[in-house]
Amino acid sequence: MPMEKTFSPTEAEARISDLWIREKVGAAGANARAGVEAFSIMIPPPNVTGSLHMGHAFNNTLQDILIRWHRMQGHDVLWQVGTDHAGIATQMVTERDMALHQEPGRREMGREKFLARVWQQKVKSRGTIIGQLQRLGASCDWDREAFTMSGAPGAPAGEDGNFHDAVIKVFVDMYNKGLIYRGKRLVNWDPHFETAISDLEVENIEVAGHMWHFKYILADKQSYEYIEKDAEGHVTLREVRNYISIATTRPETMLGDGAVAVHPSDARYAAIIGKMVHLPLCDRLIPIIADEYPDPSFGSGAVKITGAHDFNDYQVAKRNNLPMYRLMDTRAQMRADGAPYADAVKRAREIAAGAPTDENEVDALNLVPEKYRGLDRFEARKQVIADINALGLCVSTLHSEIDPETGSEHLTREPFVEAKKIMQPFGDRSRVVIEPMLTDQWFVDTAKIVGPALDAVRSGATKIIPESGEKTYFHWLENIEPWCISRQLWWGHQIPVWFDLYGNQFCAPVEADAIAAAKAFHENENPKATVTVQIDERAFAEIQDAAGRPLNHPRAVGSGWVGDENTTLRIGIYRDPDVLDTWFSSGLWPIGTLGWPEQTPELQKYFPTSTLITGADIIFFWVARMMMMQLAVVGEVPFKTVYLHGLVRDAKGKKMSKSLGNVIDPLEIIDEFGADALRFSNAAMASLGGVLKLDTARIAGYRNFGTKLWNACRFAEMNGVWEGHKTQTAPPKATATANRWIIGETAKALAEANAALKDYRFDNNADALYKFVWGKVCDWYVEFAKPLFDGPDAPETRQTMAWVLDQSMILLHPMMPFITEDLWGTTGTRAKLLVHTDWPTYGAELINTDAATEMGFVTSLIEEIRSARAQVHVPVGLKCDLVATDLSPAARTAWARNEALIKRMARIDGFSEGPAPKGSIAIAVEGATFAIPLAGLIDIAEEKARLTKTMDKLAKEIGGLKGRLNNPNFAASAPEEVVDEAKANLSAREDEAAKLQAALTRLAEIG
């Protein structure tokens, strides 16, 4: 069947994708040859309810290029596909869908029914992202699709698997080894979802804010001499103060202050370090402490320390053993629980005076005064500011106002409030302001497992590309903090720990084992009693010990009771309602997807995996944690190579965002240009460590590149190349110079492609094959073949062209799989689909030096003639004469063998040898010089004038651009993308000027 005139991506991609899926071309081990090592990649699992974005498209393109390349080389390949259960995102999507259909809320529904509803949502949404990956051309093993919640309790039919069992086993094992513990630490708290979230789920946005300045009065009516000095040490202010001034952007948090900190070197406050101040609005005294954290040059140099609501303050509070009082509930409203304020503050004073306590008691104390209890944090802020101002405790400034009638000046003191931009943390999904919150969470003691992960990269067992990624990796792990792994959600792997009323913990994989552990513990504590254990069905928050203390209070540990011999001790236990952070479960992705803890054949064959391709932004959140987890669990690195890439940005280098209106939807790109064009563009911009700028104009260019290959194959069809064609592993024995040359160029292209992909230089691979296929094959060789088709070398040329185009399809297939697979099936009889065709193994033996030299002379001469004609504006339709002023023997031979070809392609009429005629321009190539007479072709004076005018205009533009770039203010204040654009414009103008100058020089030579 003859080829279509044009390639239709819409029709072909759907047809070919269905074919690949039906034939299971991505199945593990497909096309594997004996003796060739395995190659495996674990797909970074997208959110199960998500959809394809540009980052996914870029990342998965690079993975697929490597997968297809290795599969064609005969490796036993596995590209493991799967999705992440994405706790917050999936729960949010489900609740949104429930609200849309007017279903009851999750709390009304109850946990068990709600989880069943989430599974329904998962099943409904799952196909979206998988189908979109297939549209991109991803050749995964679709039958091995994994899910990070497979096998979890309540999972519906078809969701079986043992990933859940693996996650729970790891938690239990790490708990028993003392690597996981429950403790109170500061976390990012999302008041909308009422859960802790990771740093990656926090988006810091610059917003308009304010800085309020307040006075904290010294206790016992004390005062001190406050002195300010300038840089030269001259006194600029001296006064007696009875207060210390602090500044804050969050006044509501002052209710929980534990101290005021100043820098030890700050002479202004040296006399009052150790003294106490009254905390405004609160009947408490707090100390002035010295700490390295405050910056003496910023504001007043004094910082309020609220350890329970600020990450920096938390570290100061820990260093100085300050109590950390939590002010807000899970909805970020001021706490309304606990004892009356008078009782709470009385106990706080005792603690401040040295009374023994612990972090649980401190956390239980509600030090929010009665009038603020239950208020939203921002409403409480307004009230706190108003009340401090009413007490005259705000720092104030003189405000002058002229009476318009009398002209007299009125001076008033007004609160000093600075309007300033502040970076505020928002939940990336909830879009509400994140609150640093001191809460009970589960943590991995990462300090105990980080060592092997550091050693693995230092030793080279795992290599990170580019090298800059290693610096980030080491920085994170060498300064590692405990890892918060609990989330206050319902969707996820529920923490496998049960508690009794006394705070005792029983960690077990299933409920029955927890009951048995609790029974054994209490029988040991109460040997005379008959112990029964049952599940307590009360809500977790309702559970308190007999003294009303919160769960897990150290003083509550133990049974607290010894029964008589015939007494029955009834123990109720209840499970922690929290779930594990999705980063914990996805941290086991490499082994969990391969069937661990079962020692499956896949685990033995494909682990450790070969390569991980992922974004540099999750090197700590995922890459480093996978390293730590796999090394802690199975003692092996999870992957041998990690390739990190940056964010995909728009054509100007700006981060894509909906607010800027520059988000590029990969599916829309595929609809308009085809998947191959998008994939090739992704590969072309994948420079190591470079900025990933996606330009739709560039994508359009790569669509044209595919069209160029299609047209070359149609040209071959029209010249009988595909008649009776079968796949040939070796090129024909060629005698014609052009054929020997293109065979050698193909060998060079293969070598460049192999070297580029081996080094993860996807951009170099794209560049090399673009230049080879478009420049060498579709331009030069197609033209060289035309006269050969009419001579005795026609059969050989048809065989050569068929082989070269076949090789072009093979080499391009990893990047452009759809069009190449379609061409492969259309142009000959094939034993296998292109996706399973063997990658070439020929080498430099195919390069013919003589042919390369000869055709190098021909192509260089044609290019030089074309360039010279274009520079001096010789009309394209006119033919020129050519005079050889000097020819070496080799050049003379090359000319003689290819004269007709050169004349036709360079539009040359007559040829002669001799001195250069007057009014001609010179051309030089290796071994020869030529002249093109211009008399009668162009008006030389007019062309000089045109070029000079254009040069003058360019010179002004270049001067202006240089002036901007050399201006320090421009470089310092302009956005990075604006500076980059100016540099690119300057480079383009200078390149254009150089070409014009070359043309003027040519014209100057001829008078």
Side-chain angles (χ1 to χ4, degrees):
M1 187 173 72
M3 290 177 62
E4 298 291 336
K5 289 184 178 180
T6 58
F7 175 69
S8 170
T10 303
E11 182 277 327
E13 288 171 6
R15 168 171 46 83
I16 293 168
S17 182
D18 288 344
L19 172 66
W20 286 336
I21 295 169
R22 190 169 63 249
E23 295 294 326
K24 300 183 185 298
V25 300
N31 202 50
R33 294 199 302 269
V36 184
E37 65 180 351
F39 180 85
S40 56
I41 291 180
M42 298 287 157
I43 197 171
N47 290 354
V48 70
T49 55
S51 59
L52 194 72
H53 58 63
M54 262 333 302
H56 290 138
F58 178 81
N59 180 285
N60 285 284
T61 294
L62 302 192
Q63 291 179 73
D64 196 41
I65 289 171
L66 289 184
I67 286 292
R68 288 177 183 270
W69 181 52
H70 281 279
R71 188 187 290 123
M72 294 171 84
Q73 288 178 304
H75 293 264
D76 187 338
V77 168
L78 167 65
W79 188 9
Q80 177 64 54
V81 69
T83 52
D84 190 274
H85 66 276
I88 290 181
T90 304
Q91 187 161 316
M92 178 185 72
V93 168
T94 303
E95 291 192 83
R96 186 184 296 158
D97 192 64
M98 289 164 59
L100 183 67
H101 292 89
Q102 298 182 329
E103 300 173 52
R106 68 180 170 95
R107 288 184 174 85
E108 293 82 2
M109 186 179 284
R111 185 165 187 148
E112 186 176 342
K113 290 183 178 179
F114 175 72
L115 291 179
R117 179 65 174 81
V118 181
W119 276 109
Q120 291 177 17
Q121 194 71 32
K122 180 266 177 185
V123 172
K124 183 171 72 173
S125 301
R126 166 259 165 200
T128 300
I129 188 73
I130 297 299
Q132 290 169 345
L133 287 171
Q134 291 169 346
R135 281 202 66 189
L136 183 68
S139 58
C140 305
D141 187 339
W142 302 111
D143 290 343
R144 287 187 53 83
E145 183 186 338
F147 182 52
T148 54
M149 281 281 284
S150 65
E159 297 291 348
D160 49 348
N162 70 337
F163 207 103
H164 171 76
D165 294 340
V167 172
I168 297 302
K169 174 178 172 53
V170 169
F171 183 98
V172 174
D173 288 350
M174 293 182 74
Y175 178 96
N176 291 334
K177 292 175 182 176
L179 301 177
I180 289 179
Y181 64 92
R182 192 167 189 258
K184 207 174 290 292
R185 287 180 65 89
L186 205 65
V187 297
N188 296 305
W189 187 265
D190 189 315
H192 175 78
F193 292 114
E194 297 185 64
T195 180
I197 62 174
S198 71
D199 289 344
L200 193 65
E201 295 161 314
V202 176
E203 185 176 3
N204 289 296
I205 301 174
E206 187 177 68
V207 298
H210 294 87
M211 181 81 80
W212 288 269
H213 297 257
F214 300 143
K215 297 177 181 179
Y216 286 20
I217 307 298
L218 287 166
D220 302 324
K221 299 182 179 180
Q222 297 180 79
S223 61
Y224 66 105
E225 187 176 38
Y226 177 83
I227 301 173
E228 286 187 0
K229 297 179 181 180
D230 61 19
E232 286 74 34
H234 302 125
V235 174
T236 58
L237 175 65
R238 184 192 300 268
E239 64 182 18
V240 175
R241 288 185 175 179
N242 68 341
Y243 67 90
I244 187 168
S245 171
I246 64 95
T248 179
T249 59
R250 302 166 67 212
E252 69 280 6
T253 64
M254 64 175 295
L255 304 173
D257 284 358
V260 174
V262 297
H263 196 275
S265 67
D266 197 333
R268 293 173 296 177
Y269 305 116
I272 57 173
I273 291 174
K275 295 188 180 300
M276 307 295 283
V277 293
H278 290 275
L279 183 60
L281 309 181
C282 306
D283 194 10
R284 285 197 292 130
L285 295 177
I286 60 174
I288 298 173
I289 64 172
D291 191 89
E292 297 290 331
Y293 168 59
D295 179 0
S297 65
F298 182 76
S300 69
V303 180
K304 60 186 282 298
I305 302 300
T306 317
H309 289 279
D310 182 275
F311 286 101
N312 291 317
D313 291 4
Y314 176 72
Q315 297 298 333
V316 176
K318 284 206 304 181
R319 283 196 295 270
N320 294 275
N321 198 29
L322 300 174
M324 293 183 265
Y325 296 113
R326 181 171 53 87
L327 300 171
M328 299 176 200
D329 63 18
T330 58
R331 296 168 297 172
Q333 294 180 346
M334 307 309 285
R335 287 175 59 182
D337 64 316
Y341 179 71
D343 295 342
V345 80
K346 179 182 176 183
R347 179 57 183 157
R349 288 198 212 99
E350 294 171 355
I351 293 170
T357 188
D358 56 63
E359 65 177 10
N360 291 294
E361 183 190 17
V362 169
D363 183 70
L365 284 176
N366 182 358
L367 291 182
V368 178
E370 301 290 353
K371 72 172 297 185
Y372 308 118
R373 291 190 175 193
L375 293 179
D376 175 80
R377 54 184 162 164
F378 299 119
E379 182 59 34
R381 176 179 299 177
K382 297 175 185 177
Q383 293 286 335
V384 166
I385 293 168
D387 291 343
I388 289 181
N389 289 343
L391 291 173
L393 293 178
C394 57
V395 175
S396 59
T397 56
L398 277 175
H399 178 70
S400 173
E401 187 174 320
I402 306 298
D403 189 311
E405 294 183 4
T406 65
S408 60
E409 181 182 25
H410 297 280
L411 295 176
T412 56
R413 299 201 70 87
E414 296 187 357
F416 176 42
V417 182
E418 293 179 82
K420 60 178 297 181
K421 296 287 187 180
I422 60 172
M423 296 303 295
Q424 196 158 61
F426 289 84
D428 67 347
R429 292 185 176 87
S430 67
R431 310 314 299 169
V432 302
V433 176
I434 296 304
E435 185 67 40
M437 190 86 78
L438 194 63
T439 61
D440 286 308
Q441 302 288 346
W442 288 95
F443 295 90
V444 173
D445 192 349
T446 45
K448 294 181 179 178
I449 63 172
V450 71
L454 285 165
D455 294 340
V457 175
R458 288 186 182 125
S459 69
T462 294
K463 182 176 177 58
I464 297 178
I465 300 172
E467 287 186 8
S468 59
E470 290 190 2
K471 296 178 182 177
T472 304
Y473 179 86
F474 289 136
H475 173 77
W476 275 107
L477 294 190
E478 287 167 354
N479 298 278
I480 199 162
E481 292 283 337
W483 170 18
C484 177
I485 57 171
S486 48
R487 296 291 182 264
Q488 289 62 54
L489 302 169
W490 286 0
W491 172 243
H493 302 278
Q494 191 171 354
I495 303 286
V497 177
W498 285 257
F499 298 90
D500 63 18
L501 283 174
Y502 308 101
N504 299 299
Q505 300 176 4
F506 307 102
C507 181
V510 293
E511 183 180 280
D513 291 347
I515 291 173
K519 188 173 189 298
F521 173 81
H522 284 285
E523 285 176 343
N524 184 65
E525 290 285 309
N526 303 278
K528 296 180 180 180
T530 300
V531 177
T532 63
V533 179
Q534 63 186 27
I535 299 299
D536 192 320
E537 299 294 343
R538 286 177 292 172
F540 188 78
E542 297 173 5
I543 305 300
Q544 296 177 327
D545 71 296
R549 290 185 293 261
L551 183 67
N552 205 26
H553 192 288
R555 287 185 286 165
V557 174
S559 68
W561 176 85
V562 178
D564 295 329
E565 190 167 348
N566 296 317
T567 300
T568 298
L569 174 61
R570 293 181 176 85
I571 299 295
I573 64 172
Y574 28 85
R575 189 172 184 174
D576 192 317
D578 290 355
V579 299
L580 287 165
D581 174 22
T582 51
W583 294 111
F584 185 89
S585 49
S586 65
L588 299 170
W589 188 244
I591 56 174
T593 54
L594 295 174
W596 185 90
E598 301 297 326
Q599 294 302 307
T600 63
E602 292 84 1
L603 188 66
Q604 300 299 318
K605 185 185 297 185
Y606 299 116
F607 186 83
T609 65
S610 306
T611 301
L612 174 72
I613 297 181
T614 190
D617 56 327
I618 58 172
I619 187 169
F620 175 69
F621 293 96
W622 193 45
V623 179
R625 287 169 177 172
M626 279 193 287
M627 289 286 282
M628 289 190 291
M629 295 284 277
Q630 259 69 200
L631 285 162
V633 173
V634 296
E636 291 265 17
V637 296
F639 21 70
K640 298 168 188 174
T641 302
V642 179
Y643 176 96
L644 300 171
H645 59 78
L647 291 173
V648 179
R649 299 175 180 268
D650 70 8
K652 294 184 177 180
K654 291 183 178 179
K655 183 178 178 180
M656 294 185 194
S657 72
K658 291 180 180 178
S659 60
L660 291 175
N662 64 344
V663 173
I664 299 175
D665 184 341
L667 296 177
E668 292 180 2
I669 293 292
I670 291 173
D671 288 340
E672 184 174 359
F673 301 106
D676 289 320
L678 175 60
R679 288 170 61 106
F680 200 98
S681 186
N682 284 334
M685 70 178 176
S687 58
L688 286 181
V691 177
L692 307 177
K693 298 180 181 179
L694 187 68
D695 188 350
T696 51
R698 196 174 183 185
I699 298 172
Y702 293 132
R703 177 190 57 189
N704 296 341
F705 172 62
T707 301
K708 190 79 170 177
L709 176 63
W710 186 271
N711 289 340
C713 290
R714 285 196 70 234
F715 169 81
E717 179 185 55
M718 289 184 287
N719 284 277
V721 168
W722 304 122
E723 293 176 9
H725 174 62
K726 295 181 180 180
T727 308
Q728 304 296 321
T729 56
K733 299 294 183 182
T735 57
T737 303
N739 291 333
R740 287 183 291 130
W741 166 76
I742 196 61
I743 289 170
E745 291 301 311
T746 306
K748 292 178 185 177
L750 172 63
E752 288 184 80
N754 283 335
L757 293 178
K758 180 176 178 291
D759 292 336
Y760 299 90
R761 292 306 306 262
F762 301 95
D763 55 335
N764 289 351
N765 179 55
D767 183 63
L769 294 184
Y770 185 91
K771 290 175 178 176
F772 167 68
V773 174
W774 186 303
K776 302 290 176 61
V777 177
C778 298
D779 274 355
W780 291 119
Y781 184 61
V782 165
E783 290 300 322
F784 293 163
K786 287 177 180 178
L788 295 176
F789 282 143
D790 295 328
D793 293 320
E796 169 196 304
T797 302
R798 290 189 177 90
Q799 292 176 21
T800 301
M801 181 170 285
W803 181 81
V804 168
L805 288 172
D806 273 4
Q807 297 307 301
S808 298
M809 297 174 209
I810 293 170
L811 297 183
L812 283 173
H813 180 74
M815 282 188 294
M816 305 184 81
F818 288 108
I819 191 171
T820 53
E821 188 75 82
D822 205 29
L823 285 170
W824 188 257
T826 305
T827 54
T829 302
R830 312 295 187 179
K832 295 188 287 187
L833 293 172
L834 180 55
V835 66
H836 287 163
T837 294
D838 293 341
W839 189 258
T841 57
Y842 49 78
E845 72 278 0
L846 296 186
I847 300 174
N848 185 294
T849 305
D850 292 339
T853 301
E854 181 176 321
M855 297 314 293
F857 171 86
V858 172
T859 55
S860 296
L861 179 56
I862 294 170
E863 285 177 339
E864 286 296 319
I865 293 172
R866 288 173 172 174
S867 176
R869 289 171 56 109
Q871 283 181 347
V872 295
H873 275 218
V874 174
V876 175
L878 291 181
K879 288 190 174 183
C880 304
D881 289 334
L882 187 66
V883 179
T885 58
D886 183 35
L887 285 174
S888 68
R892 186 180 299 280
T893 301
W895 171 266
R897 289 164 60 93
N898 299 278
E899 180 176 357
L901 185 65
I902 297 169
K903 283 183 174 180
R904 182 167 59 83
M905 295 184 69
R907 300 198 64 76
I908 297 298
D909 189 7
F911 171 75
S912 61
E913 296 187 52
K918 185 178 180 181
S920 62
I921 54 175
I923 293 171
V925 293
E926 187 173 352
T929 55
F930 297 87
I932 300 177
L934 295 180
L937 294 178
I938 63 170
D939 186 323
I940 295 175
E942 183 180 319
E943 185 60 20
K944 280 184 180 180
R946 186 190 68 81
L947 291 175
T948 300
K949 184 178 179 180
T950 306
M951 279 288 291
D952 290 342
K953 182 181 177 182
L954 270 177
K956 291 180 181 178
E957 293 180 14
I958 290 170
L961 287 167
K962 282 184 174 179
R964 290 180 71 193
L965 290 168
N966 291 334
N967 183 342
N969 292 332
F970 173 73
S973 61
E976 182 181 352
E977 61 269 16
V978 174
V979 176
D980 289 343
E981 185 176 3
K983 289 179 179 178
N985 286 339
L986 176 60
S987 178
R989 299 295 185 276
E990 288 178 334
D991 183 56
E992 186 179 354
K995 292 177 180 177
L996 291 177
Q997 185 57 55
L1000 277 171
T1001 302
R1002 287 185 185 275
L1003 292 175
E1005 291 171 355
I1006 61 178

